[in-house]
Amino acid sequence: MKTKLLTEQDIPAAAAILRDGGLLGIPTETVYGLGANGLDPEAVRHIFEAKGRPQDNPLILHIPEASWLERCCHDIPDAAYVLAEKFWPGPLTMILPRREVVPDAVTCGLDTVGMRCPNHPVTLEIIRAAGIPVAAPSGNRSGRPSPTCAAHMLEDMDGRIDAIVDGGPCGVGVESTIIDLTSPVPRLLRPGGLPLEELREALGEVAVDKAVLAPLSAGEKPKAPGMKYRHYAPKAPVTVVAGEGGETARYIRQQTGEHTGVICFDEYADQFPNGVIRTIGSSHDISEQARRVFDALRAFDGTDVTAIFAQCPGDAGLGLAVANRLKKAAGFQIVDVEEAEP
Ligand code: TXA
Ligand code: MG
């Protein structure tokens, strides 16, 4: 199959691909998605094939506005409308009870479904023109870093899908925040582009699922099935180095040889004369770090780097999501310099 590159001029063609059961790369504010008709089980199955995605990892549905929620969900709590009003379109996915019309192929048999309204004008128009909720996981091959521009998605999906709509680089750069509104206390299942602090401000108490902060032990099941997989991983093993910036830079410098990759904040870029360096922005600019973290994780593939060390932001604001992606890429291989050195 030849994968076409479409632009924002091609909205009718893009919508037709979705309506005809095809696979379409779509830009969103978080990461590029691999979209298909979310009401067509056959089309949805093709998403799993193209990504090489495990069969027990459900997809989320993308809609252009909150009024579409009723089509796919029932017993929608007031909290969902409060959040939609405040944060949609935007980087927030809500887990809600699903209606029968949502196929098992989307939810992997769960009685809930993830609903998201992405903040990208082209994709919103495509979904409206198609007239159907669009199932879309991130547009990477399974296990790879999520794509934050059309070129990254083409790298992973060329020849496997009908087309990719180039909507420019993603403005947020990490995936949506996922909140489960079916548990007694709303629960954060995945940190993402909308900070936990903002959800707490809107809702009061929000619990944090265990899988967000630490690896699960064997046999433990996270509420978001995708959180159990090693993810976002470059080919070389990653170690996250946590702690104060100067200290982490010093630790990494001691480990760095010719074949070492370093992911660091801009201020420290000149401290690793031997390594292969990718910066992710100033240590003070977490939005920039979010935009660049997946690009950095991709950058070492195809080089002769055999080990990667990464500086890591703290958990405040978007830092929780950036740190989570780095730690997952590292399979939770973390050195804490404050603990390592007396
Ligand atoms: O920003 C995003 O959310 C991007 C863009 C394309 O919208 N999409 C995305 O999809 O990140 P994906 O499939 O890569 O991640 C969705 C996560 C997975 O970890 C999955 O297990 C979880 O959502 N999930 C989906 N449905 C769920 C459900 N009913 N209950 C709990 N977790 C669910
Ligand atoms: Mg993904």
Side-chain angles (χ1 to χ4, degrees):
M1 173 189 299
K2 174 110 183 68
T3 300
K4 278 191 235 139
L5 263 186
L6 303 180
T7 71
E8 60 191 58
Q9 314 297 322
D10 301 314
I11 287 168
I17 290 174
L18 292 172
R19 266 199 312 269
D20 295 345
L23 295 182
L24 181 72
I26 50 171
T28 83
E29 80 282 29
T30 58
V31 301
Y32 274 68
L34 175 47
N37 180 349
L39 303 180
D40 174 354
E42 194 55 36
V44 168
R45 270 192 284 278
H46 290 148
I47 294 180
F48 284 80
E49 283 167 20
K51 274 185 70 96
R53 184 174 175 102
Q55 293 295 329
D56 65 347
N57 193 4
L59 306 179
I60 61 181
L61 291 180
H62 296 67
I63 56 176
E65 54 185 71
S67 67
W68 284 37
L69 279 175
E70 285 290 339
R71 264 175 92 177
C72 305
C73 307
H74 63 85
D75 291 315
I76 302 169
D78 291 343
Y81 291 106
V82 169
L83 293 179
E85 177 70 31
K86 254 183 127 66
F87 300 120
W88 275 6
L92 176 67
T93 297
M94 304 188 223
I95 306 296
L96 294 164
R98 69 140 162 167
R99 284 191 196 279
E100 289 282 302
V101 32
V102 179
D104 277 341
V106 168
T107 66
C108 300
L110 295 177
D111 53 12
T112 57
V113 61
M115 301 298 297
R116 155 153 154 79
C117 175
N119 189 14
H120 195 293
V122 177
T123 288
L124 289 174
E125 265 198 68
I126 292 170
I127 301 172
R128 279 208 177 88
I132 38 167
V134 172
S138 50
N140 49 287
R141 305 268 344 252
S142 210
R144 298 254 301 146
S146 300
T148 49
C149 61
H152 287 174
M153 185 155 179
L154 195 64
E155 226 170 74
D156 280 19
M157 290 297 165
D158 196 13
R160 299 176 161 269
I161 65 177
D162 295 284
I164 299 173
V165 181
D166 189 345
C170 299
V172 174
V174 290
E175 301 90 337
S176 61
T177 299
I178 303 181
I179 188 165
D180 183 0
L181 294 179
T182 67
S183 50
V185 174
R187 176 174 288 266
L188 180 79
L189 302 188
R190 177 177 74 180
L194 182 71
L196 173 62
E197 291 89 336
E198 294 199 36
L199 287 173
R200 289 195 163 137
E201 205 169 295
L203 294 183
E205 193 185 359
V206 176
V208 175
D209 203 63
K210 215 174 140 193
V212 169
L213 297 169
L216 297 165
S217 36
E220 247 182 317
K221 273 201 182 153
K223 286 278 276 178
M227 292 294 277
K228 74 170 174 272
Y229 296 105
R230 178 159 184 251
H231 248 147
Y232 317 125
K235 290 176 183 127
V238 180
T239 303
V240 163
V241 185
E244 186 275 320
E247 295 291 313
T248 56
R250 194 149 57 90
Y251 178 89
I252 294 173
R253 186 166 58 244
Q254 287 162 2
Q255 322 295 318
T256 306
E258 212 185 320
H259 300 297
T260 311
V262 178
I263 296 175
C264 67
F265 304 126
D266 293 354
E267 301 90 309
Y268 303 99
D270 60 359
Q271 303 214 4
F272 317 99
N274 299 322
V276 180
I277 315 299
R278 294 302 287 211
T279 56
I280 55 170
S282 150
S283 64
H284 304 292
D285 188 349
I286 304 181
S287 301
E288 181 69 8
Q289 294 165 31
R291 273 191 292 275
R292 285 163 63 181
V293 65
F294 283 133
D295 180 52
L297 285 168
R298 256 171 201 264
F300 298 103
D301 289 350
T303 71
D304 58 2
V305 157
T306 52
I308 300 167
F309 291 87
Q311 288 188 303
C312 182
D315 285 343
L318 273 181
L320 187 64
V322 176
N324 170 269
R325 301 310 185 268
L326 285 169
K327 288 173 184 174
K328 290 198 63 154
F332 284 94
Q333 171 72 33
I334 302 166
V335 172
D336 189 326
V337 285
E338 265 120 57
E339 283 169 14
E341 291 168 31

